[in-house]
Amino acid sequence: MNIPAANPLVSNSAYRFRKKLASRTAGFHIPINWNTRAYTYSPWFKFGITLISVNIATLLTLYLRPMVDLNVMYLLYFGAIMFAAWFGGFRFGILSTSLSSIIAAYLFSTNAPLASSHFIIRFLIFLIEGGLVSLFIQTMHDAVKNYSIKNIELVRSEQRYRLVVETVTDYAIYTTDINGYITSWNTGAVNLHMYTSGEILGRHYSLLYPPEETAVGKPWKVLQEAARSNTFSTEGFQTTKSGKQFWASVVITPIFDEIGTTYGFSVIVRDLSERMEQEKRKDDFISIASHELKTPITSLKIFTQLLLRLTTQLPDKSSIKYLHKMDLQLDRLNHLVNDLLDVSHIQTGEINLNLEKVDMNELIHDTVDNVQEVYKEYDFVVKGAVKNPVYGDRDRLYQVLLNFLTNAIKYSPKSRKIVISLSQDGTRAIVAIQDFGIGIPINYKDKIFERFFRASHTENKFPGFGMGLFISSEIIKSHNGSVWVDTEPGKGSTFYFALPVKTS
Amino acid sequence: MNTAKRIMVIDDDASILEAVEILLQLEGYEVYTSMNGTQALQKIPEVQPQIILLDVLLSGEDGRDIARKLKLDETTKTIPIIMFSANPNIEKSTQEAGACAFLSKPFNVEDLIGLTNQYVH
């Protein structure tokens, strides 16, 4: 569901946003410039401020002297020191202190000799106090400066992120408060959910879920889950303003304040309906293609077997052999088509199981016997037994066993031995199929059960679509079982599968 | 009414229809074919076959619907129906529609002959 950029709804809101942003940015530019200039005074300016402030203090002191006690006079110089320290820092504060004390000593100490202890003590106290005041003012000045720089950076970074988020059109990105009420809404959200920010801000985000999910409280459960596990991603239906539903991926992340308390959530929604549509079309295609392929195979097989019947009645039997080969190749072709069909059914979750009690001991012996018929040169060793039956689809389990056995044969061109072990571990029946073939490189170990995976080291020396292990593992999983492999390159592999047993 | 073993085969693929026809004729059946389910519904009461072979996926029609109609009709409801399909997973649904047996395509000739002979005495 993509709305063209020309949609008046979208472009209007984007325009309004840009305008709002521009006016805000303009408002912030004045203090930014003022501040940056203020913190980079030239040394001459600092020096000038120091001199002027000391002079003003001196003039004031001279003017006020007849009215006020002399000791109070010194206080006026602290004003000058503060000025110098604010604009020039600690060093200029000390300079101001020194100048003030020299001038004060020269102007106001006529009644006491300059070298008297009384004067020196007063002078030292003034010097220390001046230094402390300078230090204090400088620290205060730095703190104010840092605070405003941080503030500016914060505002700028917020503006940057806002702009980035706002200009994303393919993803809905919005925030909610702790209870799920929407606090921000980007252009992508307008595109996806069709609500303008004016319509949605302040409303509960459950509005974007299908009514039946809201009825069972899913939007609230999702928020709880996100708050608990720090992020929560899921796929499901979301709705638009008109009530139209679309399949989407939803990622919800809690937002924390500076002491780590959750105060809201960020929500990112991506429309997956197109991808879903493509997947479905592909699966439908495979399904139809397999069906179409089977029709000619069916008539070819009937004609081949018809020829076989007729040939057996003829005195010359030489062509029977070739007709048998033809028939076997048709079976092989049919298996490949079935695999394709299985993959498409697995993808769409249409794998049907006809569940019944299955004796694994019996099934394995039957399968091994059948495989032995075809691969007479191989040595199959069956070990162990399972006590209880499993509950499963006999044909599907046969398919899995056949697949593991033919795989073991296929990937052990130099060895002739294959060991099949049966065991029971509590409530699980475990089957292991061990070959002594080429093995699997460690880095492929986890991938071999994926769809269409073929280990590249085999360099197409082995035929097949790479679907067998995927199908087998999916069949086992649909039986609530598990599949795994132990392998060593050059030494061989052991494929395991475990199925829950039926004890009652 | 003659005493030959009569069989009705319904499949939308001409090649399969031809192959099955030859095969069953060799087995001594009198074979009637149809590529269309609705047409077959009209022919069946007339032909009164002892057995019906019916494909599931017919062009524009579902063989299971045809089977259900046959089972509802007094004149045809006792005729055994063997259904076949390229999709092996739908065996259950064909039984529910009234088929007595199911063959997944491609099938072995022996299986087809064995099954038809089993239902035609």
Side-chain angles (χ1 to χ4, degrees):
Chain A
M1 187 205 61
N2 269 324
I3 294 139
N7 187 323
L9 197 77
V10 179
S11 45
N12 261 352
S13 94
Y15 168 73
R16 272 205 303 279
F17 170 77
R18 275 196 292 275
K19 217 170 105 182
K20 209 163 92 188
L21 195 75
S23 66
R24 265 206 213 172
T25 318
F28 276 114
H29 266 301
I30 301 161
I32 292 164
N33 289 346
W34 182 82
N35 276 319
T36 38
R37 227 185 297 140
Y39 296 132
T40 51
Y41 303 118
S42 74
W44 290 111
F45 178 80
K46 293 172 185 173
F47 194 64
I49 286 281
T50 310
L51 280 186
I52 289 166
S53 56
V54 171
N55 275 330
I56 290 172
T58 309
L59 287 173
L60 268 173
T61 311
L62 283 173
Y63 178 72
L64 294 171
R65 193 177 174 184
M67 293 169 260
V68 195
D69 177 28
L70 183 65
N71 290 330
V72 181
M73 292 293 133
Y74 279 98
L75 285 177
L76 285 168
Y77 282 103
F78 279 109
I81 295 165
M82 283 177 184
F83 254 96
W86 180 268
F87 288 102
F90 180 70
R91 277 181 298 172
F92 282 88
I94 289 295
L95 178 68
S96 177
T97 310
S98 314
L99 276 173
S100 303
S101 51
I102 291 165
I103 292 167
Y106 180 75
L107 285 178
F108 313 122
S109 304
T110 44
N111 53 347
L114 277 176
S116 75
S117 60
H118 180 74
F119 174 79
I120 289 170
I121 288 168
R122 201 162 59 183
F123 183 76
L124 277 176
I125 289 173
F126 182 75
L127 213 61
I128 291 164
E129 291 293 313
L132 283 175
V133 165
S134 303
L135 204 64
F136 179 70
I137 293 291
Q138 182 192 272
T139 312
M140 211 167 89
H141 180 263
D142 286 351
V144 168
K145 178 175 140 185
N146 279 341
Y147 180 74
S148 27
I149 287 175
K150 260 190 196 155
N151 239 357
I152 293 157
E153 276 173 357
L154 208 67
V155 167
R156 282 183 176 172
S157 104
E158 210 241 15
Q159 281 172 357
R160 269 199 303 272
Y161 280 106
R162 203 176 261 272
L163 200 69
V164 168
V165 166
E166 194 51 43
T167 45
V168 170
T169 52
D170 294 340
Y171 291 75
I173 304 175
Y174 59 91
T175 55
T176 74
D177 66 10
I178 183 82
N179 296 314
Y181 290 94
I182 293 164
T183 49
S184 76
W185 192 250
N186 81 335
T187 314
V190 176
N191 287 349
L192 240 63
H193 292 288
M194 312 283 272
Y195 285 98
T196 63
S197 33
E199 289 168 331
I200 198 85
L201 288 178
R203 300 190 68 180
H204 198 265
Y205 98 118
S206 58
L207 203 64
L208 310 168
Y209 280 80
E212 56 276 17
E213 290 192 351
T214 307
V216 295
K218 190 181 171 190
W220 291 271
K221 280 179 203 152
V222 166
L223 285 191
Q224 276 171 7
E225 185 57 40
R228 207 181 41 195
S229 49
N230 266 335
T231 182
F232 184 73
S233 43
T234 172
E235 283 190 12
F237 280 110
Q238 294 273 296
T239 58
T240 67
K241 189 182 165 190
S242 60
K244 201 185 143 210
Q245 299 191 357
F246 60 94
W247 189 260
S249 96
V250 181
V251 181
I252 302 183
T253 317
I255 312 170
F256 302 108
D257 64 12
E258 49 285 339
I259 57 159
T261 316
T262 308
Y263 71 93
F265 296 94
S266 83
V267 186
I268 303 176
V269 181
R270 187 176 158 212
D271 184 358
L272 296 178
S273 41
E274 204 168 307
R275 199 192 72 187
M276 279 271 286
E277 184 62 32
Q278 277 175 359
E279 287 272 320
K280 200 187 166 308
R281 245 180 283 161
K282 192 187 68 203
D283 288 330
D284 284 351
F285 171 77
I286 292 176
S287 199
I288 291 166
S290 329
H291 193 272
E292 289 303 305
L293 287 167
K294 278 194 170 190
T295 302
I297 295 174
T298 305
S299 61
L300 258 175
K301 201 164 167 67
I302 302 172
F303 281 120
T304 309
Q305 293 185 352
L306 201 59
L307 267 176
L308 254 170
R309 295 184 137 226
L310 296 173
T311 315
T312 40
Q313 289 159 18
L314 294 175
D316 176 17
K317 311 269 186 239
S318 59
S319 40
I320 292 180
K321 194 169 71 182
Y322 306 122
L323 286 167
H324 265 300
K325 280 186 196 280
M326 271 173 74
D327 198 38
L328 277 177
Q329 290 307 309
L330 284 168
D331 284 343
R332 202 172 139 196
L333 190 57
N334 186 45
H335 272 147
L336 291 172
V337 175
N338 271 342
D339 279 356
L340 261 177
L341 200 63
D342 277 346
V343 168
S344 97
H345 284 305
I346 286 166
Q347 286 308 105
T348 49
E350 289 168 24
I351 181 158
N352 292 327
L353 298 178
N354 296 316
L355 297 175
E356 58 184 329
K357 273 187 187 174
V358 179
D359 181 350
M360 286 307 282
N361 307 309
E362 195 187 296
L363 184 66
I364 281 169
H365 283 283
D366 286 353
T367 317
V368 169
D369 286 350
N370 287 349
V371 178
Q372 184 79 73
E373 285 244 334
V374 185
Y375 298 95
K376 293 198 169 68
E377 68 278 26
Y378 278 83
D379 179 17
F380 297 94
V381 183
V382 183
K383 287 180 184 168
V386 181
K387 265 189 288 173
N388 303 99
V390 300
Y391 197 57
D393 185 318
R394 182 184 293 272
D395 293 341
R396 288 296 188 184
L397 294 177
Y398 176 79
Q399 187 184 350
V400 170
L401 277 168
L402 199 64
N403 183 261
F404 280 133
L405 287 173
T406 45
N407 238 23
I409 293 163
K410 189 159 122 186
Y411 292 103
S412 40
K414 292 195 180 107
S415 161
R416 289 285 170 265
K417 191 178 172 185
I418 286 155
V419 181
I420 301 104
S421 318
L422 278 150
S423 61
Q424 190 163 335
D425 161 26
T427 57
R428 296 193 312 165
I430 300 171
V431 180
I433 294 112
Q434 185 181 15
D435 68 57
F436 304 89
I438 60 168
I440 304 154
I442 298 303
N443 48 333
Y444 293 135
K445 214 180 123 181
D446 298 326
K447 291 190 183 141
I448 55 166
F449 295 110
E450 288 173 14
R451 182 155 81 139
F452 303 127
F453 177 80
R454 288 178 57 84
S456 64
H457 76 296
T458 61
E459 288 164 0
N460 294 328
K461 278 182 273 189
F462 295 91
F465 278 155
M467 293 185 294
L469 286 177
F470 169 72
I471 294 168
S472 299
S473 101
E474 290 300 313
I475 290 173
I476 295 297
K477 279 189 219 158
S478 68
H479 279 83
N480 296 320
S482 50
V483 189
W484 69 99
V485 63
D486 269 346
T487 183
E488 202 177 325
K491 298 236 167 118
S493 312
T494 308
F495 283 87
Y496 297 87
F497 66 89
L499 293 167
V501 293
K502 192 105 175 123
T503 44
S504 56
Chain B
M1 196 179 278
N2 62 45
T3 51
K5 297 187 281 180
R6 289 178 309 283
I7 188 162
M8 182 86 198
V9 188
I10 307 141
D11 195 307
D12 65 340
D13 185 81
S15 172
I16 292 178
L17 217 50
E18 190 192 348
V20 173
E21 188 177 3
I22 299 169
L23 183 76
L24 291 170
Q25 275 169 353
L26 286 172
E27 282 297 306
Y29 282 90
E30 197 173 297
V31 186
Y32 298 86
T33 60
S34 174
M35 290 177 71
N36 176 303
T38 316
Q39 226 173 56
L41 280 176
Q42 293 166 351
K43 264 178 154 179
I44 289 166
E46 225 176 276
V47 173
Q48 280 296 321
Q50 275 97 329
I51 191 159
I52 297 166
L53 291 185
L54 178 59
D55 185 24
V56 172
L57 194 78
L58 300 164
S59 316
E61 289 173 305
D62 189 323
R64 288 166 290 195
D65 291 337
I66 307 294
R68 277 185 208 107
K69 282 178 188 164
L70 287 168
K71 287 292 158 192
L72 284 174
D73 190 325
E74 283 298 320
T75 57
T76 56
K77 71 177 197 186
T78 54
I79 309 172
I81 304 169
I82 297 172
M83 293 195 75
F84 41 68
S85 168
N87 183 353
N89 299 321
I90 56 166
E91 181 172 351
K92 225 178 196 168
S93 70
T94 61
Q95 279 163 5
E96 281 156 10
C100 61
F102 179 83
L103 278 172
S104 92
K105 278 184 185 175
F107 43 79
N108 280 317
V109 164
E110 281 78 21
D111 294 338
L112 179 72
I113 292 170
L115 265 175
T116 42
N117 287 342
Q118 187 188 324
Y119 287 99
V120 179
H121 310 291

